[in-house]
Amino acid sequence: LGLMTAMASMGLQNNSLTGSIPTELGLMTAMTSMRLQNNSLTGSIPTELGLMTAMTSMDIGWNDLTGTIPTELGLLTAVTSNGWSHGMSLHGNALTGTIPTEVGLLTGLSGSSIYAFAPPPSSPPNPSPP
């Protein structure tokens, strides 16, 4: 998967995917939009996602992710909020710890979904549109 370095968009939401987020995704440096929400992904958020510096929108909410938010996500300075995207959505997981100060580098966000610390409910209240 990581060899697909020219891929700009990935939409795998609502697919009942299991397992961890592959670290190789970090090699996909042309990726601007990644939607993995509403699956059953487990494990921690890979630090390698911080290498995807072209990313403007990342939604990995409503999974079963654990651990802390990697400081490397602060490198995703192209992430922006707009009318249909929160820019970075991590909510609906079981993340712990504090929000890294590096997230403050994401100046394109306004109202981002980094409210990530409550355990997810049994199902999301409103699934995101495809």
Side-chain angles (χ1 to χ4, degrees), residues 41-113:
L41 298 172
T42 57
S44 60
I45 299 170
T47 59
E48 291 82 358
L49 296 186
L51 300 172
M52 304 170 83
T53 55
M55 186 73 64
T56 59
S57 175
M58 179 174 73
D59 191 340
I60 55 175
W62 301 111
N63 281 289
D64 297 314
L65 299 173
T66 57
T68 60
I69 298 173
T71 59
E72 290 81 358
L73 293 188
L75 299 172
L76 303 179
T77 56
V79 169
T80 56
S81 301
N82 59 42
W84 63 270
S85 169
H86 291 291
M88 181 182 294
S89 295
L90 307 176
H91 61 283
N93 287 294
L95 300 174
T96 57
T98 60
I99 297 174
T101 57
E102 290 81 358
V103 171
L105 300 173
L106 306 179
T107 58
L109 295 180
S110 61
S112 67
S113 294

